[in-house]
Amino acid sequence: MPTYAAPVKDMQFLLHDLLKISEADIPGYSDLDRSFTEAILDEAAKVSQEILTPLNVVGDAEGCHLENGVVRTPKGFKAAFRTLSEGGWMSLDAAPDYGGQGLPYLMHTAVNESFVSANMAFNMYQGLTHGAYSAILVHGTEEQKAKWLPKLVTCEWTGTMNLTEPHCGTDLGLLRTKAEPQADGSYKITGQKIFISAGDHDMAENIVHLVLAKAPGGGEGTKGISLFIVPKVMVNDDGSLGDRNAVSVGKVEEKMGIHGNATCVMNYDGATGWLLGELHKGMKAMFTMMNEARLGVALQGYAVAEAAYQNAVAYAKDRLQGRDVTGVKNPTGPADPLIVHPDIRRNLMEQKSFVEGARALTYWGATLIDRAHQGDAAADGLIGLLTPVLKGFQTDKGFEMAVQAQQVFGGHGYIEETGMSQFVRDARIAQIYEGANGVQALDLVGRKLATDGGKHVMAFFEMVKAECKAHDGDDRMAGFVEPLKAASKQMQAAGMFFMQNGMKNPNAALAGSYDFMHLMGHVCLGLMWTRMAKAAYTALDAGAEDRAFYDTKIATGRFYMARQLPACAAHLARIESGADPVMALAAEAF
């Protein structure tokens, strides 16, 4: 069975050496000193390692089953869910007014990472609930918040998001689910939704579905869409549960991975629902949930890769295969361990440098969200720009790294008993759901670069420029600064190509959008590694006790800058080739 240990030390390095959170001018951050965050992360690690990790294989093997109209979750899930709920783990950053603990979103992110690494499928139940909570908190009436939020905060009730229909996924303007207004102010919701994660299960008393539907008078396309609160079980005025709503599960999908999470076809047959937010402006309300979900999926990308990496390292140190070409390293054994071989080292360094860089980028993104929640427009614009990069780049690379971890095991990685195939299968969905990665790239290039006249991408370039300039005269940082400068210039050149060619031939920009998303992803991780290297040198200069940790951090960063950042040049070359190579064939020629 695979093992997992939460990387608390690295998390603490990011929170306190890199981000210096207790010194930040963000409400709530001054309380986050080292001992406080360590206590939280250590306890989360215990939950992850002792409760969630053993259930990961169970969930994969058993899956979820529809039984007499109710979805049954794998053995042990219900008890674990109750333990996390009673421990307050699902309410860390929720508002105290509704029973939450009021911690910053950053702490929710750090704790969530260890839960995802331990058991991604299980964590999705509470993750989607958090998204439903956020949507109602931002867009609900006071009455709606009082009615729904306290139970969502504790996960006594859970939440879902219902967008996709059999005939439409990304193009939500095509959806057919109808909402008919009733005399009492409610609506009757009729239609079918598919691919609904955590759509039904036996771990909570009620499930609060947020459903996109079209009400009369909304017009065509996405402008006519509204968002509705549709509970599985009706709630009486006194808060007690009443009759079952006209919501049912059509089937539970059999999937490639995340078997422990129930992916359902949901049927709404005149179900009672209530408008959330403004009529015909449901996309605005849904995107509160969707954007949070995309950041959660970005985290899934590297968090699953972290678990896979840990197991690959353990195997590489233990498995004896061949001899070191520079000389025997295990003279008392028949062969040397795998980890002596340069290509295994390359493989593991690619995993390590990606995971640690992505963790830093995600935590920094969480601080931007905390700033945005306080009305910081610049932070809101920057995280809006970064969201498609975080989601698309990190899930693409996360899947790639899970495959590489599996590769370390050779044939044993392809055998189910080692558990490596589950990491690969689970990681794969992150590239698809919450907006497939091709759509993330189109969103980045087609919308986000031009938002507010390009203000936010220009601010990003200035941030990179300032970071490089800050290390003038520090020869130790040259191996970080020079590659980052080069990569940033390549990203700017790609943006210039889009500006010069995109208006007259939009395909010239869109054909390069995926490459641009990855180019920007590498620049973002290059920026993170530059900042981490400086933080590590600062700790060493101050006489840090664990010098090996900081030396390792610097060496890992040097690897990323030397071996991964050069990919930016290839991405730029592909972008500048334009649309012609991509669009050359007629549809009939494929």
Side-chain angles (χ1 to χ4, degrees), residues 309-322:
Y309 163 74
Q310 288 187 18
N311 286 274
V313 169
Y315 189 80
K317 290 180 177 179
D318 183 67
R319 175 74 167 176
L320 303 181
Q321 290 284 286

Side-chain angles (χ1 to χ4, degrees), residues 463-474 477 481 534:
M463 188 178 295
V464 173
K465 181 179 178 181
E467 184 67 34
C468 293
K469 189 171 180 59
H471 308 301
D472 282 350
D474 189 344
M477 292 295 295
V481 170
K534 181 59 178 178

Side-chain angles (χ1 to χ4, degrees), residues 117-154:
S117 291
N119 195 325
M120 174 176 164
F122 177 92
N123 195 64
M124 288 171 64
Y125 292 99
Q126 70 96 2
L128 287 156
T129 302
H130 191 280
Y133 156 83
S134 297
I136 296 173
L137 180 69
V138 174
H139 300 284
T141 64
E142 292 304 315
E143 181 183 4
Q144 286 174 333
K145 288 187 277 191
K147 183 173 185 177
W148 304 108
L149 293 187
K151 297 288 190 180
L152 289 174
V153 165
T154 61

Side-chain angles (χ1 to χ4, degrees), residues 355-408:
V355 167
E356 293 180 15
R359 178 178 296 119
L361 181 59
T362 302
Y363 286 19
W364 178 52
T367 68
L368 294 176
I369 291 175
D370 280 327
R371 288 189 182 279
H373 286 168
Q374 300 302 317
D376 187 326
D380 190 50
L382 185 54
I383 193 60
L385 171 70
L386 292 173
T387 294
V389 180
L390 279 154
K391 196 281 182 185
F393 178 73
Q394 289 189 182
T395 58
D396 275 353
K397 300 301 288 187
F399 174 72
E400 182 184 328
M401 294 304 109
V403 171
Q404 289 190 196
Q406 183 189 39
Q407 188 75 12
V408 171

Side-chain angles (χ1 to χ4, degrees), residues 87-124:
W89 291 110
M90 300 170 178
S91 63
L92 281 180
D93 68 322
D97 288 349
Y98 304 106
Q101 300 176 53
L103 290 176
Y105 180 78
L106 173 62
M107 292 310 299
H108 165 82
T109 301
V111 167
N112 203 42
E113 178 193 328
S114 62
F115 291 171
V116 171
S117 291
N119 195 325
M120 174 176 164
F122 177 92
N123 195 64
M124 288 171 64

Side-chain angles (χ1 to χ4, degrees), residues 17-222:
D17 292 275
L18 179 69
L19 298 172
K20 300 183 182 300
I21 56 174
S22 61
E23 303 171 21
D25 59 340
I26 303 173
Y29 274 41
S30 60
D31 298 327
L32 303 178
D33 60 31
R34 283 183 183 268
S35 59
F36 181 68
T37 59
E38 186 173 25
I40 293 174
L41 295 176
D42 280 344
E43 286 303 312
K46 290 179 183 177
V47 172
S48 299
Q49 292 153 205
E50 297 172 9
I51 297 175
L52 300 184
T53 297
L55 290 177
N56 199 34
V57 174
V58 175
D60 187 56
E62 291 187 14
C64 298
H65 307 282
L66 185 60
E67 182 181 292
N68 298 322
V70 178
V71 173
R72 302 298 180 189
T73 52
K75 183 179 179 181
F77 270 44
K78 188 184 295 187
F81 198 76
R82 189 181 312 114
T83 297
L84 265 69
S85 175
E86 292 173 352
W89 291 110
M90 300 170 178
S91 63
L92 281 180
D93 68 322
D97 288 349
Y98 304 106
Q101 300 176 53
L103 290 176
Y105 180 78
L106 173 62
M107 292 310 299
H108 165 82
T109 301
V111 167
N112 203 42
E113 178 193 328
S114 62
F115 291 171
V116 171
S117 291
N119 195 325
M120 174 176 164
F122 177 92
N123 195 64
M124 288 171 64
Y125 292 99
Q126 70 96 2
L128 287 156
T129 302
H130 191 280
Y133 156 83
S134 297
I136 296 173
L137 180 69
V138 174
H139 300 284
T141 64
E142 292 304 315
E143 181 183 4
Q144 286 174 333
K145 288 187 277 191
K147 183 173 185 177
W148 304 108
L149 293 187
K151 297 288 190 180
L152 289 174
V153 165
T154 61
C155 275
E156 291 173 77
W157 300 348
T158 60
T160 70
M161 54 196 299
N162 284 235
L163 292 81
T164 306
E165 299 182 5
H167 59 282
C168 72
T170 301
D171 191 355
L172 291 171
L174 299 176
L175 70 78
R176 297 171 185 161
T177 299
K178 299 296 183 184
E180 293 295 332
Q182 304 299 299
D184 63 357
S186 67
Y187 289 77
K188 292 297 183 185
I189 311 298
T190 302
Q192 185 180 78
K193 298 291 184 176
I194 65 169
F195 304 155
I196 308 306
S197 298
D200 194 78
H201 55 84
D202 56 2
M203 300 189 296
E205 298 174 330
N206 202 2
I207 300 175
V208 182
H209 302 288
L210 298 190
V211 184
L212 287 181
K214 288 189 174 181
E220 297 298 318
T222 58

